[in-house]
């Protein structure tokens, strides 16, 4: 279940046949075995590529969320900086006007 949370697909369970359960008329010669092994390798490779694609998609989504949060933080800090500048300017102006009146 932990694998499914991380975007990984579960592998098919392996089937172990007992010798008495294996049909006697089935044999696997060299080329047949090579083809069977090639198909298994191909399936494993496809599963690995799919898992990597899922992982990359999750990483991209996480980076986008991080970027959005950083932009929101930067905008917030900019707004605070502007308020501080306006307050400082108004404070200085009041001091000048107050000094001129006295």
């Amino acid at each position: 279940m932990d694998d499914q949370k991380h975007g990984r697909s579960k592998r098919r369970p392996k089937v172990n046949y007992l010798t008495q359960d294996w049909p006697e008329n089935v044999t696997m010669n060299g080329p047949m075995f090579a083809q069977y092994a090639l198909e298994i390798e191909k399936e494993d490779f496809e599963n690995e590529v799919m898992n990597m694609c899922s992982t990359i998609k999750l990483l991209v989504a996480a980076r986008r969320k991080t970027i959005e949060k950083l932009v929101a933080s930067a905008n917030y800090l900019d707004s605070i900086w502007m308020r501080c500048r306006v307050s400082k300017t108004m404070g200085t102006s009041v001091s000048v006007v107050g000094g001129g009146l006295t």
Side-chain angles (χ1 to χ4, degrees), residues 39-79:
E39 287 176 14
I40 290 176
E41 286 181 20
K42 181 181 172 187
E43 287 177 7
D44 286 345
F45 179 74
E46 288 173 352
N47 286 337
E48 288 178 18
V49 170
M50 295 288 264
N51 289 339
M52 286 188 339
C53 288
S54 297
T55 302
I56 290 170
K57 287 178 183 179
L58 289 173
L59 287 172
V60 168
R63 296 303 170 255
R64 285 186 176 149
K65 287 180 182 178
T66 302
I67 290 168
E68 290 172 5
K69 290 176 183 177
L70 288 172
V71 168
S73 298
N75 290 338
Y76 175 72
L77 290 173
D78 285 345
S79 71

Side-chain angles (χ1 to χ4, degrees), residues 7-48:
R8 298 184 192 131
S9 64
K10 279 190 151 186
R11 273 199 164 170
R12 286 183 273 156
K14 295 190 180 210
V15 177
N16 295 321
Y17 290 105
L18 299 174
T19 308
Q20 63 264 18
D21 292 337
W22 192 259
E24 290 184 27
N25 60 350
V26 175
T27 59
M28 195 173 273
N29 57 13
M32 245 176 105
F33 180 76
Q35 182 180 357
Y36 175 71
L38 187 64
E39 287 176 14
I40 290 176
E41 286 181 20
K42 181 181 172 187
E43 287 177 7
D44 286 345
F45 179 74
E46 288 173 352
N47 286 337
E48 288 178 18

